[in-house]
Amino acid sequence: MTSTVPAPGTRTAEGSALQAVLLDMDGTLVDTEGFWWDVEVEIFAGLGHALDDSWRHVVVGGPMTRSAGFLIEATGADITLAELTVLLNDGFENRIGRALPLMPGAARLLAELYEHEIPTALVSASHRRIIDRVLTSLGPQHFALSIAGDEVSRTKPYPDPYLLAAAGLGVDPVRCAVVEDTATGVAAAEAAGCQVVAVPSVAPIAPAVRRTVVTSLEEVDLAFLRGLMTEMR
């Protein structure tokens, strides 16, 4: 996937029908935000450091370089960013190899989007090796493309991943619905001009213009997503 990022879209006179759905992965489709934190706690315990539980809200949803860098600086652990990145990916991959629970409503939503041939992309800050493992459980047929955090020069909270996904699908970002679970992901989607559905997983997210907050994916279906676009008119 090229890292050349198109400009954010703007509404046109062609209408505001839903053109595509762009979905985050960790904490949105799969119940894995806790996995990442458990792995981080485990690794730093092995390095002789205890992680403060309040840091969980700092590292959730962001790129690995940011979260890992923060934890190294906060603890003073004797490990490089490159070394920690390998340990984190290895630890997480081991966890999802044992169990990969889907979020409530995720399987039903993906099946509905696929049945109605709605262009859908998986957009994650996780690395490609992790996304490809998770896709085997989610069903790769449900996604026209996927964007990984290590495939873009700037990942979330920058808009680049969502702009690239929209460009790859050949759609206007403004006419895309994004489903996210963290403030970092929401910021990225909104900066790209997308309509956002927030399903908070770890930290609360407040409603805002172009942002609808729900408690579960079980509240989200195709009619709901199309309705968000209708409200834009």
Side-chain angles (χ1 to χ4, degrees), residues 105-120:
R108 187 263 315 146
L109 177 60
L110 290 176
E112 183 180 17
L113 295 174
Y114 182 73
E115 178 185 355
H116 290 272
E117 300 183 342
I118 304 297
T120 304

Side-chain angles (χ1 to χ4, degrees), residues 106-213:
R108 187 263 315 146
L109 177 60
L110 290 176
E112 183 180 17
L113 295 174
Y114 182 73
E115 178 185 355
H116 290 272
E117 300 183 342
I118 304 297
T120 304
L122 186 66
V123 184
S124 175
S126 289
H127 290 188
R128 171 54 59 187
R129 61 179 283 195
I130 300 299
I131 288 180
D132 286 345
R133 284 291 301 274
V134 174
L135 276 172
T136 61
S137 294
L138 291 176
Q141 74 276 10
H142 292 124
F143 303 95
L145 60 85
S146 58
I147 304 291
D150 56 341
E151 294 174 339
V152 292
S153 56
R154 301 189 310 172
T155 188
K156 304 172 188 180
Y158 293 99
D160 305 30
Y162 283 111
L163 292 175
L164 286 170
L169 295 174
V171 298
D172 183 349
V174 174
R175 294 168 67 181
C176 292
V178 169
V179 186
E180 274 280 1
D181 73 304
T182 67
T184 299
V186 166
E190 291 180 341
C194 305
Q195 184 79 30
V196 180
V197 178
V199 193
S201 62
V202 175
I205 299 174
V209 176
R210 298 183 60 79
R211 182 195 310 165
T212 302
V213 180

